[in-house]
Amino acid sequence: MQNPKRWLLLGSWVVCVAASPALSQVITGTLYGTVVDPAGAAVPGASVRAAEESTGVVATATTDALGEFTLSGLPPGSYSVSIEASGFRTQRQVGLRLDAGQRVRLAFSLELGTVATTVEVQAVSPLVNAVNAEQRSNLEAEQLQELPVARRDWLSLVTLAPGISSTSGRVRLNGLPSAAFRITVDGTDSASDSEMPAVSMYQDFNLIKAVSLEAIEEVNLARGIASAETGATLSGNVNIITRRGTNQLHGSAFLLNQTENLNARNQFLLNKPGLVFNQFGGSLGGPAVRDKLFFFGVYEGYRLRGFQALSGQVPTQAFRERAVRAVPAYQAFFDLFPLPNTPTPPDAVTGLYRSAGSEKARDNHAVVRADYQARSNLLVTARYTRGRPFREIPRVATVNWRNWTGVTEVGTLGVTSIRPRWTLETRFGVNRNEVNRLDNIFKLGIAGIVGALGFSTAGETFFKEGTTWSVEQTIGTSVGRHAIRFGGILSRTLAGRENVEVPELTYADVEDFLANIPSRVQVTFGVRPYQLRKIDVGLFFQDDFKASRRLTLNLGIRYDYFSVPEERDGRLFNREGPFGMGPFLSADQIWRADRNNFSPRVGFAYALDEANRTIVRAGAGLFHSPIPLFGGVVDMVQNALDEPNRVIFSRADVLRIGEVLRYPVVNANVLPVVKGPQAVIGGTAMDPDIRQPLSYQWLLSAQRQFGSHFAFEAAYVGNRGASLMMIRAMNPPDRITGLRPNPRFATFRYRDGSESTNYNALQLTVRLRQSAGFAWNASYTWARAMSHTGEADLLLPGSPQDIWNVKADYGPADHDVRQRFVSDFSYELPLVQVAGGSRLGRLVLAGWQLSGVFTGQTGSPLTVSQPSGLESSRPDFVGGRAILSDSRRTLQYLDRNAFAAVPLGSASRLPLRPGTAGRNLLYGPGMWNVDLALAKGFDLGESKRLQIRLETFNALNHTNLAGVEVRINRSDFGRFTASRGARVAQVQARLAF
């Protein structure tokens, strides 16, 4: 052995992985049970057998001296559970539904008799959680198929649970950063972006999220005090379990159509834009070898050709002519925009343009899954997912359209072995994705103009790709009253980019624009293709201790190590302090590794009655998440030490350097200015002592189940996020002189972990399981979310208005929706009773179903801004009533007289001081919406069923005004510029067999 130390380290890792569950996510269920005799005494030594009804997976156990047993590692499905004990009749419960990650406690009371006599009953899963303090919500396949879902996007339904919101393909759980949740399919990483957690691809351009709706068996949403098995997340996990083949051949075919003929006119347009959207596909599953090998496959595609509503401020003809006379180079930029098509004052700089532009989209998505039942207690599963989305969208600057193309390929291999005392789960996953995005302005070679003048557009060429693979092992066992799970994971991520942006120029006012003196020039030179590499390791131990029949204690600990990212060619450049103005660090150590990510978690569930119908749960825990690659790391890659990725110039720089920084600016001409030993230093820097983000969470909940179908829960949920990402625009120009404090550096982004958040909520939930054809769920959340940077995310949070007084920006987070109510229902209309025995009557009246979703909430916060050469500038709030009472009639929501622009310095052309208007000082209007679906089913015999559905979104065509213009320099300041959408309808036909 040439290197014993290396082999010792390798061997230690193999032992850890072979003996532990991980940073992995939970894809199997656990069944706890107590077996008693007619007098309520424990029955020790009883034999317990659980068999999955569609595939035959079998797990066995024996009750202990207290009459209790634990069956863990059970694949999700419908189970029959048999209890045998000498001197008692065999009891068999059938149809017990067990979801992924679900932990169910049941009580079995045996009757005296012989084992040969069997008592069979229909099992009913409890609606309350009597096992732990985790908040877990499940979307079953029936809900996903029955509730109205626009364009089959299942992600829209995750917000039915309290404390959950979704934006741009990312999910926010209990107010914590949306860039810190986990998305997995069948337990392995399925993030559609290698740089950050996201269900959809970069900028949410793909319509099929993670996996086709047709392939989903269930969606699990885990949050709150999740077990130590859930890791690499501050907030929780979204895990999708895909459908599988069984011994019965089954499948489907579907077609969905949207056209403008069924839609209502958008409230801000004069006509309905044209639309043709078709979504189609099907599935097929069954046995390849009966009782042994099963297959399941899905194809889903869509084709979109339509028009997208466009609305925005554009330069007027008079202003264009005036500006081009002063600076002829502006002509190419103005040619990107149409002219205003609404009444505009003759001396105005901008006017409103409203129209519609052509939109295109398509995808061909496939999912293939195979399950091999090697033995009754050994299951091997493999899945492959593939997508090729494309999208092209218009913009108000009509020539500057944008398109995306994407590639996604995900594979999972899992082995589950269920033994009498041990359960072993092994998973291997590979996740690859690519995104290529292009703004047409880049092809035209035209510099962008953004900021204070009221009109703006810019763009770039952008390509990124990444691959993540993971290996994980989970082991479960029972030792007396202890149900123990432990394990480990090793994952490696490779990610790369290539992108260049057109220069972006900001002008303080019209006078500077006509003089071609920008107050801010951002030049992004971009980077050649690179590859970032990082490795994550996670270990955990979880003990669910049955202290008594009524009390279960949950004790867990996990450890995560998130490696410091490295670049293949050593092109990562970070700087030492103070605040990123020190010397460069080694390229392979851009920050000092954080090795203290221990996450203890404790909780309990206590039943106030023997029937386990009234449950009190509580818990607290610590959660860690890795810093996303998008969160600053990608900005620190440069082509060379003296060739920055991005540099921001001030007005003083423009006056000093000259024409190269006046419109039109060209990247290649600016590069010599910033290259070389005497050039100013720009580019992002990060605190080298930054810690991994973490959250402290706590929960107190009371649940009550009434009968077999109804349950109620009231929960107090709280958390605090710490070491979250803060961006400061360091070394900004002086507000009076326009000169930077440190002339050796440009203005640059400095990232550290000084952001923190607070979230407190009352969450109420009621659930009525389907009874007499009716099912209903409702949730109400009363919450408060606070932060320093609004979005309070790990990606691109805004810079504080005053980088040396961060506390002044503490206030409501951007997602601070104080009250939210959501309800969904489905009802099988009992019209068939009217038909009596008539065959024609049954054909016409049977199979009707009505379902819907109601959403109502208060408004989101608004920050009034004063665009300038400084980031996050705000005006003064001078008092009065800022929100107008007649805004629905006039469309003017904010009163301009309540605000005053901060005066600009004569030399700097920057606001002379921070504005007094607070961040997120105001709240926008609330909204409510109703989505409805009406379906008619036709039984075609031999297990064939055709369903025709009409689904409407904003079914009542209620106008929810939105898009309040908050930039005080705009002519349309304070006005509503959009609505949340008029009624949209779709027709869908689905054949199931």
Side-chain angles (χ1 to χ4, degrees):
M1 184 178 297
Q2 296 180 348
N3 192 336
K5 185 176 180 180
R6 181 177 64 184
W7 284 100
L8 178 60
L9 290 172
L10 177 61
S12 299
W13 166 246
V14 170
V15 169
C16 289
V17 170
S20 32
L23 165 162
S24 64
Q25 311 311 314
V26 189
I27 66 167
T28 58
T30 301
L31 177 62
Y32 300 95
T34 303
V35 181
V36 298
D37 62 17
V43 179
S47 297
V48 183
R49 182 179 186 272
E52 208 286 315
E53 295 171 345
S54 63
T55 60
V57 173
V58 173
T60 60
T62 302
T63 59
D64 60 18
L66 298 176
E68 298 189 348
F69 68 89
T70 300
L71 292 171
S72 63
L74 301 177
S78 181
Y79 282 83
S80 63
V81 182
S82 299
I83 312 290
E84 293 184 2
S86 179
F88 298 93
R89 295 180 178 179
T90 298
Q91 184 174 127
R92 183 168 180 263
Q93 292 194 12
V94 298
L96 176 65
R97 175 70 194 181
L98 191 63
D99 296 323
Q102 188 177 17
R103 288 167 167 81
V104 175
R105 177 180 288 279
L106 296 178
F108 299 86
S109 180
L110 302 185
E111 300 178 9
L112 297 175
T114 64
V115 175
T117 305
T118 301
V119 178
E120 183 172 297
V121 296
Q122 183 69 34
V124 178
S125 300
L127 294 174
V128 294
N129 179 356
V131 178
N132 59 30
E134 182 179 60
Q135 288 182 291
R136 179 172 291 273
S137 307
N138 288 339
L139 292 172
E140 309 290 354
E142 292 79 8
Q143 281 180 285
L144 297 172
Q145 295 291 347
E146 293 170 1
L147 293 177
V149 179
R151 296 181 176 179
R152 298 172 57 82
D153 181 4
W154 59 268
L155 188 59
S156 63
L157 296 182
V158 302
T159 59
L160 295 178
I164 301 180
S165 61
S166 176
T167 305
S168 300
R170 301 198 305 273
V171 179
R172 187 181 296 276
L173 303 170
N174 288 339
L176 288 164
S178 61
F181 81 108
R182 290 268 294 174
I183 169 65
T184 54
V185 177
D186 295 326
T188 64
D189 177 76
S190 290
S192 295
D193 192 320
S194 57
E195 296 176 358
M196 58 182 172
V199 179
S200 64
M201 305 191 79
Y202 184 57
Q203 295 190 327
D204 197 25
F205 76 92
N206 57 317
L207 301 185
I208 301 174
K209 308 295 174 59
V211 68
S212 166
L213 176 65
E214 206 68 14
I216 297 178
E217 179 66 25
E218 59 185 78
V219 179
N220 309 132
L221 307 168
R223 60 203 188 282
I225 314 305
S227 76
E229 191 169 354
T230 300
T233 171
L234 290 187
S235 57
N237 174 227
V238 178
N239 185 39
I240 301 169
I241 302 299
T242 57
R243 298 176 65 186
R244 60 189 176 188
T246 66
N247 275 324
Q248 300 295 322
L249 187 68
H250 59 282
S252 64
F254 65 88
L255 174 64
L256 181 149
N257 174 259
Q258 288 184 352
T259 67
E260 76 276 11
N261 298 324
L262 297 176
N263 298 340
R265 177 181 57 83
N266 184 285
Q267 294 90 340
F268 280 78
L269 293 177
L270 298 177
N271 301 297
K272 290 191 293 185
L275 171 66
V276 177
F277 177 78
N278 290 305
Q279 201 164 5
F280 45 85
S283 66
L284 183 66
V289 178
R290 189 170 182 81
D291 295 328
K292 282 291 184 183
L293 181 62
F294 310 94
F295 70 90
F296 186 80
V298 169
Y299 166 76
E300 180 171 344
Y302 60 79
R303 303 292 185 269
L304 167 66
R305 289 190 67 89
F307 289 87
Q308 187 179 90
L310 300 177
S311 177
Q313 294 290 316
V314 297
T316 63
Q317 182 65 42
F319 181 73
R320 297 178 196 221
E321 294 173 355
R322 180 184 175 196
V324 171
R325 284 196 300 269
V327 183
Y330 289 151
Q331 184 66 60
F333 178 80
F334 285 137
D335 288 345
L336 300 174
F337 292 89
L339 290 169
N341 58 5
T342 58
T344 304
D347 59 344
V349 173
T350 64
L352 180 62
Y353 172 78
R354 283 187 179 142
S355 184
S358 177
E359 179 184 14
K360 304 174 186 176
R362 63 177 179 268
D363 195 1
N364 290 293
H365 178 95
V367 182
V368 179
R369 171 170 171 160
D371 294 83
Y372 177 54
Q373 193 75 45
R375 296 190 300 273
S376 63
N377 62 350
L378 180 61
L379 177 65
V380 181
T381 297
R383 176 189 49 82
Y384 170 71
T385 303
R386 174 192 185 277
R388 295 294 187 273
F390 164 83
R391 192 172 187 182
E392 181 177 297
I393 66 165
R395 288 166 158 178
V396 171
T398 51
V399 180
N400 191 21
W401 44 258
R402 167 177 283 185
N403 68 25
W404 294 265
T405 57
V407 171
T408 177
E409 294 183 347
V410 184
T412 299
L413 177 65
V415 180
T416 302
S417 177
I418 305 174
R419 303 178 183 181
R421 292 189 57 83
W422 296 88
T423 300
L424 309 177
E425 301 172 41
T426 306
R427 288 193 294 275
F428 173 75
V430 178
N431 179 11
R432 172 178 171 263
N433 52 72
E434 295 179 6
V435 171
N436 199 337
R437 192 193 70 196
L438 177 67
D439 300 304
N440 196 50
I441 192 175
F442 185 85
K443 291 172 60 179
L444 299 173
I446 299 174
I449 297 175
V450 300
L453 298 175
F455 54 85
S456 66
T457 194
E460 63 185 311
T461 177
F462 182 92
F463 170 79
K464 70 176 178 177
E465 62 179 342
T467 301
T468 299
W469 64 260
S470 61
V471 181
E472 53 195 278
Q473 177 69 56
T474 301
I475 297 176
T477 187
S478 297
V479 181
R481 290 181 288 170
H482 299 267
I484 297 172
R485 289 172 68 84
F486 56 99
I489 187 172
L490 171 67
S491 69
R492 189 183 191 215
T493 299
L494 307 176
R497 272 192 185 196
E498 179 181 12
N499 81 288
V500 181
E501 297 179 11
V502 301
E504 295 182 6
L505 286 76
T506 301
Y507 294 86
D509 50 30
V510 170
E511 287 71 23
D512 272 4
F513 183 72
L514 296 177
N516 199 2
I517 306 175
S519 60
R520 184 178 189 270
V521 179
Q522 176 178 296
V523 182
T524 303
F525 304 100
V527 289
R528 296 188 299 270
Y530 63 81
Q531 186 181 86
L532 296 171
R533 302 171 176 177
K534 72 183 187 78
I535 293 176
D536 297 335
V537 178
L539 302 170
F540 88 89
F541 181 91
Q542 179 73 35
D543 180 10
D544 294 331
F545 173 55
K546 292 174 285 185
S548 68
R549 289 186 184 178
R550 294 189 183 184
L551 176 64
T552 301
L553 301 178
N554 316 115
L555 306 171
I557 183 72
R558 71 172 293 110
Y559 174 77
D560 292 300
Y561 172 72
F562 308 115
S563 71
V564 179
E566 299 179 2
E567 200 278 322
R568 175 185 54 200
D569 302 317
R571 291 193 287 146
L572 271 175
F573 299 99
N574 191 22
R575 301 186 295 274
E576 191 66 84
F579 293 102
M581 295 187 187
F584 282 94
L585 294 163
S586 168
D588 60 355
Q589 195 69 32
I590 56 174
W591 66 67
R592 288 175 269 278
D594 183 358
R595 305 180 187 276
N596 300 309
N597 300 321
F598 289 93
S599 303
R601 300 169 196 181
V602 60
F604 73 85
Y606 180 70
L608 299 182
D609 58 339
E610 288 289 346
N612 286 342
R613 289 183 173 273
T614 304
I615 311 295
V616 175
R617 302 182 302 135
L622 182 61
F623 297 77
H624 286 90
S625 175
I627 297 173
L629 294 177
F630 191 92
V633 181
V634 296
D635 294 332
M636 291 190 291
V637 182
Q638 299 178 188
N639 291 333
L641 182 63
D642 64 345
E643 189 175 324
N645 176 20
R646 173 183 292 130
V647 176
I648 299 173
F649 298 95
S650 68
R651 190 176 191 272
D653 294 326
V654 173
L655 296 175
R656 176 175 56 86
I657 295 173
E659 290 300 316
V660 73
L661 294 180
R662 297 174 185 254
Y663 202 90
V665 178
V666 179
N667 286 8
N669 295 341
V670 179
L671 185 58
V673 176
V674 299
K675 191 173 175 62
Q678 300 305 314
V680 295
I681 299 172
T684 297
M686 294 184 71
D687 179 3
D689 292 312
I690 194 168
R691 305 291 78 168
Q692 303 296 333
L694 59 91
S695 67
Y696 305 90
Q697 301 189 45
W698 52 91
L699 174 141
L700 175 62
S701 163
Q703 293 179 304
R704 171 66 181 178
Q705 180 169 337
F706 302 89
S708 301
H709 301 284
F710 184 75
F712 171 80
E713 178 179 13
Y716 162 62
V717 179
N719 60 61
R720 179 178 181 271
S723 297
L724 304 181
M725 191 70 70
M726 171 82 72
I727 293 181
R728 304 173 199 242
M730 291 302 302
N731 202 38
D734 183 85
R735 293 176 181 270
I736 298 175
T737 66
L739 301 176
R740 295 193 189 88
N742 189 336
R744 186 76 182 90
F745 290 86
T747 300
F748 62 91
R749 288 175 179 168
Y750 179 74
R751 292 175 177 258
D752 62 22
S754 56
E755 170 67 295
S756 62
T757 64
N758 283 285
Y759 176 83
N760 292 276
L762 171 67
Q763 298 178 0
L764 306 178
T765 308
V766 294
R767 181 182 177 188
L768 177 64
R769 183 159 46 197
Q770 190 171 71
S771 176
F774 181 71
W776 175 60
N777 302 284
S779 68
Y780 169 76
T781 303
W782 182 26
R784 183 73 182 269
M786 303 290 286
S787 70
H788 295 87
T789 59
E791 179 60 20
D793 217 325
L794 303 177
L795 305 177
L796 280 175
S799 175
Q801 181 179 217
D802 183 349
I803 60 174
W804 304 118
N805 187 15
V806 172
K807 290 183 178 180
D809 273 19
Y810 185 73
D814 289 352
H815 54 276
D816 181 43
V817 175
R818 297 294 177 86
Q819 299 186 67
R820 177 178 170 85
F821 177 79
V822 183
S823 178
D824 67 272
F825 75 94
S826 63
Y827 184 42
E828 295 179 5
L829 302 176
L831 301 178
V832 68
Q833 300 173 3
V834 180
S838 168
R839 183 176 180 181
L840 178 60
R842 289 196 304 272
L843 177 65
V844 174
L845 298 178
W848 286 95
Q849 182 187 71
L850 181 66
S851 60
V853 176
F854 172 83
T855 303
Q857 66 180 48
T858 55
S860 299
L862 298 173
T863 295
V864 177
S865 67
Q866 180 180 338
S868 72
L870 298 174
E871 291 195 30
S872 305
S873 294
R874 299 194 294 269
D876 288 336
F877 177 64
V878 298
R881 188 168 184 172
I883 297 177
L884 300 173
S885 59
D886 59 348
S887 59
R888 285 194 66 85
R889 179 179 59 83
T890 64
L891 299 183
Q892 185 71 33
Y893 186 69
L894 300 180
D895 185 355
R896 182 184 293 274
N897 296 323
F899 303 91
V902 177
L904 303 183
S906 58
S908 67
R909 307 306 292 160
L910 299 173
L912 288 172
R913 54 175 172 75
T916 61
R919 185 186 59 79
N920 283 340
L921 173 69
L922 307 171
Y923 281 80
M927 59 82 65
W928 63 266
N929 179 75
V930 177
D931 299 335
L932 293 174
L934 181 64
K936 173 69 171 78
F938 301 89
D939 289 321
L940 305 181
E942 298 181 2
S943 301
K944 298 184 183 69
R945 181 175 176 82
L946 174 67
Q947 187 185 69
I948 308 295
R949 297 174 60 86
L950 172 64
E951 296 172 290
T952 58
F953 307 93
N954 191 4
L956 304 182
N957 200 32
H958 174 66
T959 300
N960 290 297
L961 295 171
V964 179
E965 178 53 64
V966 294
R967 291 169 287 187
I968 195 172
N969 63 299
R970 300 273 295 232
S971 61
D972 57 348
F973 170 76
R975 290 187 65 82
F976 291 112
T977 61
S979 72
R980 294 178 183 266
R983 182 179 59 247
V984 173
Q986 65 187 30
V987 179
Q988 182 176 189
R990 184 175 184 271
L991 174 66
F993 60 89

